[in-house]
Amino acid sequence: MYENRREIMPDVFLTYLPARKFKTSRLTLNLVTGLDRATASANALLPAVLSRGTMRHPDMESLSAAMDTLYGATVDSVVRKKGERQCIGFAAGFIDDAFTPHGEKLLEPVAELMGEMLLEPVTRNGSFLAEYVDSEKANLIDAIRSLRNDKRDWAEIRLMQEMCAGEPYSILRLGDEESAGRLSHHALYRHSGALLAGSRVEVIYCGSAEQQRVEDAVLSALAALPRGAAAPLPAMEQLPPRETPRMVTEAMDVNQGKLSLGYRCTTEDVPAMILANLIFGGTSNSKLFLNVREKLSLCYYASSNYVRSKGILTVSSGIESADYQRALDEILHQLQEVRDGHWEPWELEGARSTMRSALASLPDSQGALENYCLGQAATGQSEDPETMQRLLDQVTPERIQAAAQSVTLDTVYFLHGKEDA
């Protein structure tokens, strides 16, 4: 896969994913920049504002009409977080050339429209339209506020904010409400110029068009892209755990307690750590699910997640507040079981099978495949799904045990109801 990623302009990379099984093509354009509290909200706001209109199509009605002429092509703004990188831009979906009614070629006009949205946004008096910025700013603030509505997700957000305080990883992909509220149309326009000139650009195509044709279409669409001295992306931070785990407790109007744990992983054996996580809590056959949830009924849900780029493992669980200590002790015990190598052969095979299915299914979804490739490119990883599967197949039980022994508890976050205080 990654032999198909190449630099076609200064700091502009094209990943070409040939696929003839789909009736649609997918083209994404992503500005990749380091997460920074000072700029995260402006970055998140920018693609929404750019989606409001261009100089040729100055409003959403005109833009929609232009897409209708391309057989209902869509161009959506996207904001993603990959490790300590913020990736913003556009994702286009359109009928693959093999399926257009009269053999029309849609790649070139869709790429041109995306380039126009990025490089020729509608402006007035040398700035973005205030009404567009104010409207999208209100939407962004609403989206940030709504993160509190899903208490499971909110507990994980708060865990990362406490565990990674001072690190870029603690910053939300949408930024924060206070920073968003201070943005003006003038400030956002100035910021956009610096972002366009200094960001790395990742373009990813999945469809049936030939590679040279895709490259030509992208080069034409981005011909006016300003290229300055791009600041190198900061290295990913992987910090050691605290000497003593930090315990954080907060109260909200919740009926079900949310217990989240954050661990630091110092192993460099990524394939072994992936399998250790799956045995611990990454599948429905994991120790957390079968023991803490099913056998002991201490959790409504319990799962773990491994973030390779940060060397972090997290546990998410929903519990009765009265069961806090028992649930915490049992979660810690199940990790110790993995550290001690206490698992059955079927548990390891189940973990391998889960990853095998997940990796094998990536080419069946353009969105999933594109998201995987962007994550790899943004965080400096290089394994394609086939290579990763070979690496996983070579992992021994001893390596899994050693990887699990590198996992150390850093932070415990507990969200409970106000009546439980």
Side-chain angles (χ1 to χ4, degrees), residues 43-121:
N43 292 342
L45 179 60
L46 183 60
V49 172
L50 296 179
S51 297
R52 292 294 295 264
T54 71
M55 295 305 290
R56 278 204 306 152
H57 308 289
D59 52 44
M60 296 181 72
E61 182 180 0
S62 178
L63 264 179
S64 179
M67 293 179 197
D68 286 343
T69 67
L70 301 174
Y71 293 101
T74 60
V75 180
D76 298 317
S77 61
V78 288
V79 180
R80 289 177 276 189
K81 175 180 174 178
K82 300 294 182 183
E84 293 180 331
R85 312 285 186 249
Q86 194 176 19
C87 307
I88 68 164
F90 304 111
F94 51 98
I95 298 176
D96 195 87
D97 290 350
F99 298 95
T100 53
H102 306 292
E104 296 93 336
K105 304 297 185 184
L106 299 185
L107 169 62
E108 288 79 3
V110 169
E112 180 184 0
L113 183 59
M114 291 177 69
E116 186 178 331
M117 292 170 66
L118 183 70
L119 302 172
E120 301 178 52

Side-chain angles (χ1 to χ4, degrees), residues 249-284:
T249 302
E250 292 182 343
M252 290 181 71
D253 288 326
V254 295
N255 296 321
Q256 183 187 107
K258 309 297 179 184
L259 175 60
S260 298
L261 285 69
Y263 297 84
R264 301 281 187 176
C265 313
T266 58
T267 182
E268 296 183 0
D269 191 346
V270 171
M273 191 63 239
I274 290 173
L275 292 175
N277 169 64
L278 291 172
I279 293 172
F280 173 48
T283 74
S284 58

Side-chain angles (χ1 to χ4, degrees), residues 350-371:
R352 290 194 204 274
S353 178
T354 294
M355 281 304 299
R356 192 176 297 118
S357 298
L359 292 170
S361 66
L362 280 175
D364 296 331
S365 167
Q366 289 174 307
L369 185 59
E370 182 272 342
N371 192 54

Side-chain angles (χ1 to χ4, degrees), residues 4-68:
N4 290 337
R5 177 180 179 265
R6 59 186 299 264
E7 190 172 9
I8 60 173
M9 291 173 60
D11 288 305
V12 177
F13 295 84
L14 171 64
T15 298
Y16 172 73
L17 305 172
R20 299 187 178 277
K21 65 169 70 176
F22 304 107
K23 293 185 177 180
T24 60
S25 293
R26 182 175 176 85
L27 180 67
T28 67
L29 191 159
N30 308 274
L31 305 180
V32 181
T33 186
L35 268 170
D36 188 302
R37 196 169 304 279
T39 58
S41 295
N43 292 342
L45 179 60
L46 183 60
V49 172
L50 296 179
S51 297
R52 292 294 295 264
T54 71
M55 295 305 290
R56 278 204 306 152
H57 308 289
D59 52 44
M60 296 181 72
E61 182 180 0
S62 178
L63 264 179
S64 179
M67 293 179 197
D68 286 343

Side-chain angles (χ1 to χ4, degrees), residues 312-372:
I312 284 176
L313 184 145
T314 60
V315 173
S316 174
S317 65
I319 66 172
E320 290 292 338
S321 294
D323 292 330
Y324 166 80
Q325 193 61 51
R326 288 181 62 210
L328 175 59
D329 291 344
E330 191 58 36
I331 290 170
L332 298 175
H333 171 68
Q334 294 304 324
L335 178 59
Q336 190 60 47
E337 290 287 279
V338 182
R339 287 192 183 108
D340 294 338
H342 295 164
W343 66 79
E344 299 297 327
W346 63 265
E347 294 179 83
L348 174 53
E349 182 50 40
R352 290 194 204 274
S353 178
T354 294
M355 281 304 299
R356 192 176 297 118
S357 298
L359 292 170
S361 66
L362 280 175
D364 296 331
S365 167
Q366 289 174 307
L369 185 59
E370 182 272 342
N371 192 54
Y372 177 89

Side-chain angles (χ1 to χ4, degrees), residues 42 92 116 124 171 177 211 246 248 285 293 380:
E116 186 178 331
R124 181 190 301 138
I171 302 169
E177 182 179 341
Q211 184 169 359
R246 185 180 179 205
V248 180
N285 288 320
R293 183 186 186 276

